[in-house]
């Protein structure tokens, strides 16, 4: 069937929630998303990363409680962030994240063009009730 | 990026379902009315043009006075008072939680937030 933006056959189910579920299942099967999940799991299981994350949390807690008069916690936090980003598991994760993001952006472009409204940008939680 | 036909179809189908939805159609109608109304579209264009000019002056190191920004605030007030723009903005605020619910269907299947990965960086 050839379809055009803005037209929809009356025989097509027009429930956007079901259509969103179907799209979710199709995206779930893509090699890009599978690779992203695997990289995400690898990051989660990386022992070095877990140890560094625990150290980061300790510095973050110190900062939250205002216990950083000489800026040592902030400096250490920045250093640890850089160390984490350099880990092979994290670099792999960033690469896969970039790929899946490229895929999802292309998908979102199609949805937005058909719908007439930018989807992902407008669908994000705003974090407030102001609707901004 | 080249999408597979299956993904392309599913994305297109979702977009079409959204466009057919009453809630979103009301927003699109309000958007269209604002676009085709010469007064509303000119007001918005003038406001954004003025905003860009002020930003450019600030970035060039100029300290803006109240008099410099007065025109912008007056324009902004006129934009906020325009009934078509008000209606469109209201409808836009209304559809955002609805779009969020639709996106959450995708996110639920994937186990990750679709909107974060799909948002242009």
């Amino acid at each position: 069937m050839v379809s055009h933006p803005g037209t929809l056959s009356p025989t097509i189910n027009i429930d956007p929630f079901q259509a969103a579920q179907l799209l979710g299942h199709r995206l779930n099967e893509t090699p890009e998303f599978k690779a992203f999940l695997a990289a995400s799991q690898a990051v989660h299981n990386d022992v070095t990363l877990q140890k560094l994350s625990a150290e980061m949390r300790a510095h973050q807690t110190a900062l939250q409680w205002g216990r950083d008069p000489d800026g040592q916690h902030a400096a250490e936090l920045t250093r640890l962030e850089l160390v984490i980003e350099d880990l092979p598991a994290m670099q792999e994760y960033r690469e896969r994240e970039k790929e899946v993001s490229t895929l999802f952006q292309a998908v979102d472009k199609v949805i937005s063009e058909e719908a007439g409204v930018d989807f992902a940008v407008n669908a994000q939680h705003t974090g407030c009730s102001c609707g901004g | 990026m080249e999408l597979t036909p299956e993904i392309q179809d599913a994305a297109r189908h979702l977009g079409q379902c959204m466009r057919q939805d009453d809630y979103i159609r009301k927003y699109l109608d309000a958007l269209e009315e604002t676009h085709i109304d010469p007064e509303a579209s000119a007001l918005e264009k003038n406001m954004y043009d003025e905003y860009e000019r002020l930003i450019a002056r600030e970035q060039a190191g100029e300290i803006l006075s109240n008099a410099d920004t007065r025109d912008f605030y007056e324009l902004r007030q006129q934009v906020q008072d325009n009934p078509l723009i008000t209606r469109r903005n209201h409808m836009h605020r209304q559809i955002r939680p609805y779009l969020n619910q639709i996106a959450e269907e995708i996110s639920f299947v994937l186990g990750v937030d679709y909107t974060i990965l799909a948002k242009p960086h």
Side-chain angles (χ1 to χ4, degrees):
Chain A
M1 186 187 76
V2 178
S3 59
H4 302 283
T7 61
L8 182 66
S9 160
T11 58
I12 294 176
N13 186 339
I14 59 162
D15 179 359
F17 295 94
Q18 282 183 13
Q21 281 175 21
L22 175 67
L23 176 62
H25 286 295
R26 295 222 171 135
L27 290 174
N28 207 17
E29 293 303 313
T30 59
E32 290 91 344
F33 188 71
K34 285 180 178 171
F36 170 70
L37 277 190
S40 178
Q41 196 59 48
V43 161
H44 189 72
N45 295 337
D46 190 292
V47 178
T48 309
L49 217 145
Q50 284 173 7
K51 185 176 156 291
L52 293 170
S53 296
E55 283 181 44
M56 277 183 73
R57 282 194 293 277
H59 293 294
Q60 282 164 342
T61 304
L63 285 170
Q64 280 165 5
W65 284 92
R67 289 189 282 112
D68 194 29
D70 49 8
Q72 275 190 348
H73 286 293
E76 190 57 15
L77 198 55
T78 304
R79 188 189 72 80
L80 287 170
E81 280 170 358
L82 294 172
V83 171
I84 284 177
E85 288 296 326
D86 265 352
L87 292 174
M90 187 52 97
Q91 290 193 348
E92 173 73 10
Y93 172 79
R94 292 291 181 217
E95 199 54 41
R96 301 288 85 84
E97 182 186 45
K98 209 185 299 175
E99 285 172 5
V100 84
S101 194
T102 302
L103 169 68
F104 282 19
Q105 284 174 32
V107 167
D108 203 67
K109 191 166 178 283
V110 174
I111 300 169
S112 301
E113 281 172 3
E114 292 289 341
V117 58
D118 288 338
F119 181 45
V121 170
N122 285 300
Q124 272 204 311
H125 277 293
T126 58
C128 71
S129 57
C130 60
Chain B
M1 180 181 195
E2 193 74 25
L3 298 174
T4 64
E6 291 79 18
I7 299 284
Q8 180 94 22
D9 283 351
R12 189 176 284 164
H13 178 55
L14 173 57
Q16 290 174 353
C17 289
M18 285 165 59
R19 188 184 277 267
Q20 297 289 312
D21 188 276
D22 285 345
Y23 215 38
I24 292 167
R25 214 159 43 188
K26 280 181 187 164
Y27 164 68
L28 292 175
D29 289 346
L31 185 67
E32 180 65 13
E33 281 178 32
T34 313
H35 275 158
I36 59 174
D37 183 78
E39 188 190 336
S41 51
L43 261 178
E44 276 201 312
K45 184 182 181 309
N46 289 344
M47 183 188 74
Y48 287 121
D49 287 350
E50 185 61 23
Y51 179 75
E52 294 293 328
R53 273 195 292 274
L54 291 175
I55 292 291
R57 285 170 63 185
E58 260 192 344
Q59 283 174 347
E62 194 177 333
I63 309 273
L64 300 175
S65 68
N66 286 345
D68 291 323
T69 54
R70 192 179 304 129
D71 282 352
F72 169 73
Y73 286 119
E74 280 175 10
L75 273 169
R76 193 176 69 172
Q77 190 59 52
Q78 288 175 45
V79 166
Q80 286 169 352
D81 291 342
N82 182 283
L84 291 178
I85 295 172
T86 302
R87 180 165 172 269
R88 182 207 59 196
N89 290 349
H90 173 73
M91 291 307 302
H92 186 234
R93 283 193 295 274
Q94 296 282 311
I95 64 159
R96 291 194 69 170
Y98 186 60
L99 294 176
N100 177 259
Q101 286 174 21
I102 296 171
E104 277 185 354
E105 293 290 337
I106 306 174
S107 302
F108 182 75
V109 175
L110 298 174
V112 298
D113 189 337
Y114 165 81
T115 64
I116 290 176
L117 289 168
K119 199 177 79 163
H121 299 296

